[in-house]
């Protein structure tokens, strides 16, 4: 197989198994689907996962990545690799993606680790897989933008909220700027939680430019925080598809709930007029 692009349709089941059906010329006997983890700015990281390919029809190849296969958190680019003296790699382009089984997944709240894998098209037209591995995990649900604060509902996995449970807004790079707000409700057996974060406290400090405050759930007094994110569906990057209105947090400061490109929930503060 030459180092040219091939095309892959993807399907997911509720367990997390991914099936890739490729349209490609006949490979050599040792060809595999290669998943290689990508780092910041697209650089390659150590580690790769190779999935065997089998013939599934005329001009069709199939690779199955089981849910039990280990895949570290990150973004994994897909290739077809044919071993040889030059180890030719064919770029895999995205075809049809059937990800309906991933919508609104609800793992057992007692599970120690939550993982999610979403195939997606990259900006330059390649196929990649976004993978999350969180232990424990706080899954964000409804986010309601109020006039004075944001209300967040969600489900906590792998740990139970106890006495002193709270949500913290943290400003990265400045450990002194942390604001804590108690949960307004928590149900241990179901993992359900809710909290309200007023906009004003984070805005008491200087906001000379845009600030992205990370939101963490602290399940009990003195416990480690759990990042609040939304990963249990078919959306690989929520920062542009989930957009919330801004509200005044302080004179000349606008507060807006938002998601990062990695689906972590944040509160963005920025200089701005109240009528934006």
């Amino acid at each position: 197989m030459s180092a040219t692009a091939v095309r892959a349709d993807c399907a997911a089941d509720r367990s997390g198994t991914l099936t890739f059906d490729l349209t490609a010329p006949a490979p050599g006997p040792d060809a595999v689907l290669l998943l290689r983890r990508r780092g910041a700015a697209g650089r390659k990281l150590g580690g790769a996962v190779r999935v065997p390919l089998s013939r599934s029809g005329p001009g069709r190849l199939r690779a199955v990545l089981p849910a039990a296969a280990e895949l570290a958190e990150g973004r994994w680019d897909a290739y077809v690799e044919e071993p040889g003296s030059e180890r030719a790699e064919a770029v895999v382009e995205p075809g049809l993606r059937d990800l309906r089984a991933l919508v609104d997944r609800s793992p057992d709240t007692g599970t120690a680790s939550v993982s999610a894998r979403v195939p997606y098209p990259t900006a330059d037209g390649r196929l990649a897989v976004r993978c999350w591995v969180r232990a424990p995990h706080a899954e964000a649900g409804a986010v309601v933008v109020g006039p004075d604060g944001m209300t967040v509902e969600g489900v906590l996995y792998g740990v139970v909220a106890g006495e002193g449970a709270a949500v913290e807004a943290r400003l990265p790079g400045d450990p002194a700027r942390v604001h804590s707000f108690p949960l307004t409700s928590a149900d241990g057996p179901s993992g359900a939680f809710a909290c309200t974060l007023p906009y004003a406290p984070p805005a008491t400090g200087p906001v000379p430019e845009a600030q992205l405050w990370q939101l963490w759930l602290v399940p009990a007094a003195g416990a480690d925080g759990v990042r609040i994110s939304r990963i249990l569906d078919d959306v690989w990057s929520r920062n542009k598809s989930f957009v919330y209105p801004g509200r005044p947090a302080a004179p000349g400061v606008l507060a807006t709930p938002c998601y990062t490109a990695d689906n972590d929930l944040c509160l963005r503060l920025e200089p701005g007029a109240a009528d934006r």
Side-chain angles (χ1 to χ4, degrees):
M1 183 183 300
S2 62
T4 56
V6 297
R7 191 173 183 86
D9 298 332
C10 304
D13 67 18
R14 294 191 69 82
S15 73
T17 294
L18 299 179
T19 299
F20 302 86
D21 284 310
L22 289 74
T23 301
D30 297 320
V32 296
L33 177 70
L34 170 67
L35 298 176
R36 182 184 290 121
R37 192 155 64 106
R38 188 190 335 140
R43 66 183 178 85
K44 296 176 182 178
L45 293 176
V49 173
R50 290 173 170 83
V51 187
L53 284 167
S54 61
R55 179 67 62 185
S56 60
R60 300 285 285 177
L61 305 171
R62 172 168 290 181
V64 178
L65 180 69
E70 292 188 6
L71 210 63
E73 180 156 335
R75 298 177 185 270
W76 296 75
D77 293 315
Y79 304 87
V80 171
E81 179 188 70
E82 187 165 358
S85 59
E86 298 181 356
R87 299 188 69 84
E89 293 180 4
V91 172
V92 178
E93 297 179 345
L96 299 176
R97 291 175 298 119
D98 184 356
L99 307 180
R100 292 171 292 176
L102 299 181
V103 177
D104 296 328
R105 289 195 301 131
S106 298
D108 187 334
T109 56
T111 186
S113 176
V114 172
S115 64
R117 299 168 183 176
V118 182
Y120 72 97
T122 66
D124 59 355
R126 300 182 178 212
L127 177 66
V129 177
R130 179 64 173 98
C131 178
W132 291 270
V133 181
R134 302 286 171 92
H137 170 59
E139 177 75 359
V143 176
V144 178
V145 180
D148 301 311
M150 59 183 286
T151 298
V152 181
E153 298 178 352
V155 179
L156 186 59
Y157 294 92
V159 66
V160 176
E163 186 175 354
V167 168
E168 290 185 350
R170 305 176 182 177
L171 183 61
D174 191 345
R177 299 189 68 180
V178 176
H179 297 275
S180 181
F181 310 99
L183 296 186
T184 54
S185 68
D187 181 81
S190 70
F193 70 87
C195 61
T196 297
L197 287 82
Y199 308 130
T204 55
V207 186
E209 57 186 5
Q211 299 173 345
L212 206 58
W213 289 73
Q214 298 178 346
L215 303 185
W216 297 75
L217 194 156
V218 180
D224 292 336
V226 182
R227 194 73 169 88
I228 302 177
S229 311
R230 185 160 181 176
I231 61 175
L232 295 176
D233 58 19
D234 61 342
V235 182
W236 66 92
S237 185
R238 314 185 86 83
N239 63 327
K240 295 181 180 178
S241 57
F242 281 67
V243 180
Y244 299 95
R247 294 290 186 263
V253 178
L254 199 68
T256 310
C258 65
Y259 283 98
T260 68
D262 292 318
N263 290 6
D264 296 324
L265 185 61
C266 293
L267 177 65
R268 184 174 65 245
L269 297 182
E270 57 189 327
D275 60 353
R276 279 183 55 186

